[in-house]
Amino acid sequence: MMYKYFPHTEADISEMLGKIGLSSLDELYAEIPENIRFDKDYDLKKSMSEDEVRNYFRELGKTNKKLIPFAGGGAYDHYAPAVISQLISRSEYLTAYTPYQPEISQGTLQYIFEFQSMICELTGMECCNASMYDGASAAAEAMLMSIAHAKKRNKVIVSRTLNPRVIEVIETYARFHGVNLEMIPEKEGVTDKAVMEKLLEADDVAGVIASTPNRYGIIEDFSGFADNAHAHKALFIVYADPSAMAVLKTPGEWGADIACGDGQTLGMPLNFGGPYVGYLAATRDLVRKLPGRIVGATTDVDGKRAFVLTLQAREQHIRRQKANSNICSNQSLMALYVTIYMALMGKQGMKEVNEKSYAGAHYLCDKLLETGKFSLCFDKPFLKEFAVKTTLNRDTLLKHLEGKGFLAGIPVEGTEDALLFCVTEKRTREEIDNLVSLIEKEG
């Protein structure tokens, strides 16, 4: 079937199908299960004026429920200074152009350089690339870096306390790159160090991936992890919340070789799940294993400060056959967003964000425990997120609180009675008290 705005003619389509040995578009999409195909007309009018379209979507938007979030699990409702949205639209920065070439605008190169510099300072690493699509793909790229560094090893071990969504992406990358993944089990909510050490003894592991804070919000203690990994010629990779690094021990301080994670916590709106931005930083020895591009600072012929693509999109041309990755773009606008956020907040501002989140999370936790209907899943240190078991019906409770305007935590996968609550600096004492009051009444 031909569509008005699709540029391909029937002849174009036939020629392309012939090149890959197929006779029809139905044959091309045969692997997609019938039960997930949309095979009917869209519930849209055939035509609308521009004004009608605006009104239509305005009314459609009113059907969204605006809930007060006490949920985290990888996306967090942090404060963002209002000026950011204005600054990112300035002509010096706003561009649809992906910086493949060294002659990209100085504005774009400068903020990428600043992004790299700030991420290095936050994580305690020595170099950072321009940015990644999101935290999950950054973790997967870190895994591939460890394989490339090890050369003759194809096993990576991953802690079960890593966010399950991140693990799923790592597993997908691993499957199609021939990487042998093995999971390190959790013990009392943290990575089982004894099992990790046992797995390393085989001397066939290229990398070890763990996270802090982990999937339960627990601040993990990585004492000895890097030493154990390095003793068996493996890299130690830490998946870390960059905002939390303003107050926690950094991956660099833990002796990590690679740090990765999602920049969403750096003031990015929830955005219905994206777009976000990933970061990938490493020690200087691994700089040429980093995918994507790296911007550096220099001086021009007049002695003025200038920015250049020190390492370009080598996956596309310079070393295509030796590339670890097919990443050739960076999430540039989102990288600009978090760069401006970090510059505006500064060290003290980011510290206060986490101090307020910590205070709010512990206040909520204490209040929930006082009701007698909740108990901590793990007696471990946490920052802004924590897991609790409840004697109430979990699904009924969440549904009830949703009706009252609260997104009150998320179910912990693999359990029937555990919830993951999160409190950021945006949640007020009044909101927390109201939430607890509603929970008490429900019981």
Side-chain angles (χ1 to χ4, degrees), residues 115-121 123-130 145 257-260 279-290 293-295 311 314:
F115 170 84
Q116 294 171 178
S117 302
M118 293 180 189
I119 292 296
C120 283
E121 188 166 352
T123 60
M125 306 307 289
E126 296 173 313
C127 56
C128 174
N129 72 0
M145 283 178 65
D257 302 284
I258 303 173
C260 56
Y279 75 85
L280 185 58
T283 58
R284 190 177 300 276
D285 291 343
L286 296 170
V287 65
R288 289 195 171 274
K289 294 291 191 297
L290 281 167
R293 62 194 52 72
I294 296 175
V295 174
L311 291 175
R314 51 211 185 279

Side-chain angles (χ1 to χ4, degrees), residues 340-356:
I340 295 174
Y341 170 87
M342 289 186 284
L344 287 170
M345 299 297 285
K347 292 181 179 180
Q348 185 59 32
M350 291 183 63
K351 182 180 178 182
E352 288 179 13
V353 162
N354 285 280
E355 288 174 342
K356 290 180 178 180

Side-chain angles (χ1 to χ4, degrees), residues 68-70 359-368 370-371 374 400-401 404 406 408 421-423 426-442:
I68 299 171
F70 281 90
H362 284 75
Y363 177 75
L364 173 60
C365 182
D366 291 342
K367 287 293 183 181
L368 291 175
E370 286 174 11
T371 67
F374 293 87
H400 169 70
L401 294 172
K404 298 295 183 179
F406 289 93
F421 283 94
C422 177
V423 182
K426 286 181 66 174
R427 301 285 70 82
T428 66
R429 183 66 62 93
E430 182 182 8
E431 288 172 339
I432 295 173
D433 289 340
N434 287 342
L435 175 67
V436 175
S437 177
L438 288 168
I439 291 173
E440 288 179 322
K441 291 175 182 176
E442 177 67 8

Side-chain angles (χ1 to χ4, degrees), residues 153-174:
R153 298 181 180 185
N154 75 330
K155 181 191 285 187
V156 173
I157 56 178
V158 181
S159 172
R160 271 290 174 200
T161 64
L162 187 62
N163 186 302
R165 302 289 78 79
V166 176
I167 291 176
E168 287 176 350
V169 173
I170 290 174
E171 287 174 336
T172 300
Y173 271 67

Side-chain angles (χ1 to χ4, degrees), residues 277-346:
V277 63
Y279 75 85
L280 185 58
T283 58
R284 190 177 300 276
D285 291 343
L286 296 170
V287 65
R288 289 195 171 274
K289 294 291 191 297
L290 281 167
R293 62 194 52 72
I294 296 175
V295 174
T298 184
T299 55
D300 64 15
V301 292
D302 298 319
K304 296 178 181 178
R305 190 185 192 205
F307 301 92
V308 295
L309 282 179
T310 305
L311 291 175
Q312 299 178 40
R314 51 211 185 279
E315 288 75 18
Q316 286 205 326
H317 46 88
I318 297 173
R319 56 192 293 273
R320 182 184 298 179
Q321 302 304 320
K322 297 180 180 179
N324 306 325
S325 166
N326 66 352
I327 291 292
C328 58
S329 299
N330 71 299
Q331 195 73 304
S332 193
L333 184 62
M334 300 297 98
L336 171 60
Y337 190 103
V338 301
T339 300
I340 295 174
Y341 170 87
M342 289 186 284
L344 287 170
M345 299 297 285

Side-chain angles (χ1 to χ4, degrees), residues 5-240:
Y5 298 108
F6 286 8
H8 304 117
T9 65
E10 292 285 3
D12 292 333
I13 294 171
S14 295
E15 184 177 351
M16 287 188 285
L17 288 171
K19 287 287 186 183
I20 57 176
L22 300 176
S23 59
S24 68
L25 289 174
D26 287 337
E27 191 177 351
L28 177 64
Y29 298 117
E31 290 188 14
I32 300 175
E34 292 282 351
N35 64 329
I36 66 169
R37 297 190 196 185
F38 186 81
D39 192 24
K40 53 187 176 183
D41 290 333
Y42 293 106
D43 184 20
L44 295 172
K45 294 181 179 180
K46 293 298 181 183
S47 63
M48 283 188 273
S49 68
E50 181 178 332
D51 205 41
E52 286 173 328
V53 170
R54 290 179 186 274
N55 290 333
Y56 173 79
F57 282 107
R58 188 177 296 114
E59 291 302 311
L60 189 64
K62 291 178 182 178
T63 63
N64 290 324
K65 291 182 179 179
K66 298 191 74 173
L67 305 177
I68 299 171
F70 281 90
Y76 305 89
D77 186 33
H78 282 292
Y79 159 76
V83 71
I84 296 178
S85 60
Q86 299 301 315
L87 290 175
I88 64 174
S89 64
R90 286 182 62 92
S91 59
E92 297 96 322
Y93 299 120
L94 186 62
T95 176
Y97 182 59
T98 300
Y100 295 126
Q101 311 300 336
E103 65 272 14
I104 183 66
S105 75
Q106 283 294 296
T108 299
L109 290 172
Q110 179 175 346
Y111 75 69
I112 292 176
F113 179 82
E114 300 293 354
F115 170 84
Q116 294 171 178
S117 302
M118 293 180 189
I119 292 296
C120 283
E121 188 166 352
L122 271 179
T123 60
M125 306 307 289
E126 296 173 313
C127 56
C128 174
N129 72 0
S131 67
M132 308 296 291
Y133 296 129
D134 56 21
S137 56
E141 293 291 345
M143 171 191 71
L144 296 181
M145 283 178 65
S146 71
I147 295 292
H149 180 262
K151 296 180 180 178
K152 294 183 179 181
R153 298 181 180 185
N154 75 330
K155 181 191 285 187
V156 173
I157 56 178
V158 181
S159 172
R160 271 290 174 200
T161 64
L162 187 62
N163 186 302
R165 302 289 78 79
V166 176
I167 291 176
E168 287 176 350
V169 173
I170 290 174
E171 287 174 336
T172 300
Y173 271 67
R175 182 164 74 251
F176 292 103
H177 284 83
V179 178
N180 178 18
L181 271 192
E182 194 160 341
M183 305 309 297
I184 309 168
E186 62 180 74
K187 183 178 181 181
E188 298 178 357
V190 296
T191 309
D192 192 325
K193 186 179 178 182
V195 174
M196 180 198 74
E197 292 172 350
K198 189 70 176 176
L199 291 171
L200 285 168
E201 287 177 2
D203 287 328
D204 60 353
V205 174
V208 180
I209 306 178
S211 66
T212 186
N214 69 20
R215 63 174 294 194
Y216 303 114
I218 295 170
I219 302 166
E220 292 218 23
D221 180 358
F222 292 140
S223 298
F225 276 56
D227 290 339
N228 280 309
H230 297 157
H232 296 279
K233 298 182 180 179
L235 298 183
F236 180 43
I237 301 165
V238 175
Y239 186 93

